[in-house]
Amino acid sequence: MLKVVVIGSGNVAQHLIAVFKEAKGVELVQVFARNPEKLTHLLEPQKVTDSADSIKEADIYIISVTDDAIAQVSSSLPFSGKLVVHTSGSVAMEQLDSKNRRGVFYPLQTFSKNKEVDFSIIPLCLESERNEDYHILEQLANQITKSVYNISSQQRKALHVAAVFVSNFANHMYAIGSDICRQSDIPFDILKPLILETADKILYLDPVKAQTGPAVRNDRQTIEKHLDFITDEKQKEIYKLITQSIQNVKKL
């Protein structure tokens, strides 16, 4: 039974708390949080502390706070020689204080408040300074997911950039599409089957081969009609840039 302390109370921390509570091979001994009131729906009060001096003994301490706070939180921990990891996709493992054994426990997923996720299919990207610590992290990861990867800090940086493109930027495209629909009094729900089919295709096809639309066909007439229709200059610029990017990829 692996003993775990989670440090933090945000979206990622709350999802980890929820999944650790149900994992058979994990004992969630405590959560350390500056805002313990955020966790009242998940844990009984005696499981939560807002005092660093009251942090209990554990096999793994998981820091799940904002990226900017990771270094400060790790340096403020009142112990040394323990296995301390963070959950960030963009922060190097070396940002953790070297007084403890350092590692990374990065779940590659978008987390939203009150939106349940199936943790068993979420990739967990692991990194550690010592082989024996990696095996501990791997043991913990295997308790909550079927998808575990050994990813270095440099690889994780690339992965996080890629994730921004396929998740954050893609969602922004949905927001623009929703805005265009709203302006023409069209329900955005009409586009949802298209969104789902587009996402589903890349499970079976290379994204470049799955590309459709006027840009990849170089349908200049349709592209010009679209540009004439778009009145928002920023949206028009985005349309032009993405169209050109698609066409550049096609030429490779």
Side-chain angles (χ1 to χ4, degrees):
M1 185 75 73
L2 286 171
K3 294 184 176 181
V4 175
V5 167
V6 172
I7 300 171
S9 60
N11 284 339
V12 177
Q14 290 191 28
H15 281 279
L16 285 172
I17 290 167
V19 74
F20 286 148
K21 282 174 57 181
E22 302 300 323
K24 293 181 179 178
V26 179
E27 180 186 353
L28 179 64
V29 297
Q30 192 182 49
V31 176
F32 169 48
R34 290 183 303 174
N35 303 298
E37 66 277 2
K38 291 184 177 181
L39 304 174
T40 54
H41 64 294
L42 283 171
L43 295 166
E44 54 273 25
Q46 60 267 29
K47 281 272 192 178
V48 186
T49 182
D50 59 1
S51 169
D53 293 329
S54 300
I55 297 177
K56 294 182 178 179
E57 186 74 21
D59 299 304
I60 307 171
Y61 298 83
I62 301 178
I63 298 176
S64 186
V65 299
T66 60
D67 290 357
D68 291 343
I70 288 173
Q72 185 275 326
V73 170
S74 69
S75 65
S76 68
L77 294 176
F79 49 74
S80 60
K82 306 294 185 180
L83 178 54
V84 176
V85 303
H86 70 65
T87 61
S88 171
S90 60
V91 175
M93 178 174 62
E94 288 73 22
Q95 291 296 304
L96 293 167
D97 195 298
S98 60
K99 67 184 177 183
N100 284 298
R101 293 143 44 207
R102 300 180 290 190
V104 177
F105 194 81
Y106 169 48
L108 179 54
Q109 185 55 278
T110 175
F111 294 97
S112 299
K113 188 177 181 180
N114 300 325
K115 171 67 171 64
E116 290 188 12
V117 296
D118 180 0
F119 229 103
S120 68
I121 61 172
I122 293 177
L124 267 170
C125 303
L126 310 181
E127 183 182 11
S128 67
E129 293 180 303
R130 309 189 330 172
N131 288 336
E132 51 268 43
D133 288 337
Y134 182 85
H135 293 311
I136 295 172
L137 294 178
E138 187 176 42
Q139 182 183 348
L140 177 62
N142 285 332
Q143 292 293 321
I144 60 175
T145 186
K146 302 171 185 175
S147 185
V148 180
Y149 295 88
N150 185 348
I151 299 291
S152 70
S153 285
Q154 187 62 29
Q155 289 174 315
R156 186 160 35 85
K157 186 184 298 183
L159 192 58
H160 196 256
V161 172
V164 166
F165 272 93
V166 304
S167 178
N168 305 137
F169 288 176
N171 188 75
H172 184 60
M173 297 300 103
Y174 303 155
I176 292 175
S178 178
D179 183 54
I180 292 170
C181 285
R182 180 185 53 78
Q183 292 181 36
S184 295
D185 197 25
I186 302 169
F188 182 63
D189 284 353
I190 293 177
L191 289 175
K192 289 180 180 177
L194 174 63
I195 292 170
L196 293 174
E197 175 61 19
T198 302
D200 186 68
K201 279 199 296 187
I202 58 92
L203 298 177
Y204 312 99
L205 295 173
D206 183 283
V208 173
K209 294 181 179 178
Q211 187 69 57
T212 61
V216 77
R217 295 193 304 267
N218 197 27
D219 184 349
R220 295 305 310 170
Q221 188 174 4
T222 299
I223 291 170
E224 290 303 325
K225 286 180 180 178
H226 288 174
L227 290 172
D228 288 341
F229 175 83
I230 300 170
T231 57
D232 185 297
E233 290 302 318
K234 291 182 179 179
Q235 291 181 2
K236 187 173 292 191
E237 189 61 28
I238 290 171
Y239 186 103
K240 289 178 181 178
L241 286 171
I242 294 178
T243 294
Q244 187 61 60
S245 182
I246 291 171
Q247 292 177 338
N248 290 344
V249 169
K250 183 184 176 183
K251 294 175 184 176
L252 296 179

